[in-house]
Amino acid sequence: MKLMLTIELADRYVSMIEDSFTNLEVVMALDPDLQEKELNDSEIVVGFGDSFNPEIIKEGTSLRWIQSWAAGVDHYTRPEVIKKLIDNNIKLTSMSGIHGDIIAEHVMGMVIGFSRKLYKFYQQQQNSIWQRIQPDQLAGKTMAVIGLGSIGQEIASRAKAFKMKVVGVKRNTLDKVDMVDELYSAEELFKVLAVADYVVVIVPLTDDTIGMFGYDEFRAMKETAFFINVSRGQVVIEQELITALQEGCLAGAGLDVFNQEPLPEDSPLYKLDNVLLTPHVAGIFPDYNKEAIKKFLFNLRRYQEGKELINLVDYNSGY
């Protein structure tokens, strides 16, 4: 059995894969041309969405499984790609489950930064200004978590630790979610936006969520509310967010993802003093590859034993 790595992993991690299973050949193919060559007889592909182009998959391929090294799999869920995966009986799995703690920390960092006005104090520091600004507090405030998968639930848990009220939006509202005080459907989004002090978006990128937040949604928010996006940039109509921020429809935004990455130098977002920007790092932490290897090796064992894989992507829902 041949496994093709399309990301560069440290030798110790490659050895962990090779030493865990007999009759397993591991090849590292970072170059697209080499990937096309090695794919001819590879049964498993491992990599980030942008490290492997699924367009090179040919009919009748020996490929049976793609393991995404990220939680998001939108690179593989375009209709033409899904058709190719289904037609060739190729399974797709994600790294869902290892990002919850770190993304929740990132979100709460932004929330605290806004609440305690740390972003304003930093701006004053840069200009040698000593001026007291009235900080806020989180206890009693309402956080709306849009998307209640494993990451959304971790964010909700952190918010409850700060004595916040948490309302959630998810597709299936029949099952109650721990740490969520009130649960709403996607059709009730505007009702949620009207009461939230912090709106946190952590939905997968699908046909239903592209452009989910535009000017109308931002106008529905409180003028004192903050918007935080740690999902995908395409969930937001970026120019309409910029307009809403400039017009004061909301108090500010914390953004880790953008329509175009890197964010162009001429983006007005850089100049807005009520915006916190981070360069798509919310899910990064020092032991990422260590945790990802554990999850992958567990799945690889299941694959060899003919068992159902964990984190299997549903091609109908796109995640």
Side-chain angles (χ1 to χ4, degrees), residues 300-312:
L300 184 55
R301 176 68 65 190
R302 295 182 67 85
Y303 178 81
Q304 288 197 325
E305 293 175 353
K307 296 179 180 177
E308 186 75 1
L309 299 177
I310 63 169
N311 288 351
L312 194 62

Side-chain angles (χ1 to χ4, degrees), residues 28-45:
M28 188 175 295
L30 308 181
D31 178 80
D33 291 336
L34 182 57
Q35 290 178 12
E36 192 161 5
K37 175 185 176 183
E38 297 290 353
L39 187 62
N40 289 331
D41 57 349
S42 291
E43 190 170 334
I44 304 170
V45 167

Side-chain angles (χ1 to χ4, degrees), residues 35-245:
Q35 290 178 12
E36 192 161 5
K37 175 185 176 183
E38 297 290 353
L39 187 62
N40 289 331
D41 57 349
S42 291
E43 190 170 334
I44 304 170
V45 167
V46 177
F48 285 109
D50 58 359
S51 71
F52 173 69
N53 180 8
E55 298 294 340
I56 68 174
I57 298 173
K58 298 180 176 61
E59 186 175 350
T61 179
S62 60
L63 183 63
R64 288 295 170 264
W65 173 26
I66 299 175
Q67 170 68 65
S68 170
W69 214 242
V73 292
D74 43 276
H75 188 77
Y76 299 105
T77 54
R78 302 189 303 273
E80 65 276 14
V81 176
I82 287 180
K83 184 179 186 305
K84 184 173 291 192
L85 298 180
I86 292 174
D87 289 348
N88 287 282
N89 193 29
I90 301 170
K91 297 180 184 296
L92 172 65
T93 56
S94 74
M95 275 297 163
S96 177
I98 70 172
H99 305 79
D101 286 343
I102 198 65
I103 293 182
E105 287 182 18
H106 198 91
V107 167
M108 292 311 298
M110 287 183 164
V111 169
I112 293 170
F114 285 129
S115 175
R116 298 303 296 172
K117 303 295 190 292
L118 300 184
Y119 68 111
K120 290 185 177 292
F121 289 125
Y122 182 72
Q123 292 163 9
Q124 288 187 172
Q125 176 184 336
Q126 298 303 104
N127 293 286
S128 303
I129 296 173
W130 179 278
Q131 179 181 336
R132 287 185 172 178
I133 302 171
Q134 179 66 54
D136 205 342
Q137 69 180 83
L138 294 179
K141 293 295 193 296
T142 298
M143 176 185 285
V145 181
I146 316 301
L148 283 167
S150 60
I151 299 173
Q153 292 180 48
E154 290 293 343
I155 294 169
S157 175
R158 301 311 191 281
K160 293 299 291 183
F162 282 89
K163 300 180 181 180
M164 300 181 74
K165 178 181 179 180
V166 179
V167 296
V169 173
K170 67 190 300 283
R171 291 178 63 182
N172 181 6
T173 59
L174 296 178
D175 298 326
K176 298 301 179 184
V177 180
D178 290 342
M179 302 298 177
V180 175
D181 299 297
E182 298 174 6
L183 199 55
Y184 295 88
S185 67
E187 290 72 29
E188 298 174 293
L189 177 61
F190 281 88
K191 183 186 299 185
V192 172
L193 296 178
V195 300
D197 299 295
Y198 296 88
V199 175
V200 180
V201 182
I202 184 64
V203 296
L205 184 65
T206 67
D207 290 342
D208 292 333
T209 62
I210 291 176
M212 182 178 183
F213 281 86
Y215 188 70
D216 289 342
E217 284 73 21
F218 297 123
R219 281 193 62 190
M221 292 173 59
K222 296 179 181 179
E223 292 182 357
T224 55
F226 294 90
F227 176 80
I228 296 174
N229 184 18
V230 286
S231 57
R232 286 291 185 267
Q234 291 77 12
V235 170
V236 174
I237 304 175
E238 204 162 274
Q239 184 53 55
E240 295 187 11
L241 170 59
I242 292 169
T243 299
L245 288 164

Side-chain angles (χ1 to χ4, degrees), residues 12-13 98 283-294:
R12 65 181 182 278
Y13 293 130
I98 70 172
I284 297 176
F285 58 99
D287 287 334
Y288 186 96
N289 283 337
K290 179 180 178 180
E291 294 303 316
I293 281 289
K294 289 180 184 177

Side-chain angles (χ1 to χ4, degrees), residues 266-279:
D266 60 354
S267 171
L269 289 170
Y270 284 117
K271 304 296 184 182
L272 294 174
D273 60 9
N274 59 345
V275 173
L276 293 176
L277 304 179
T278 54

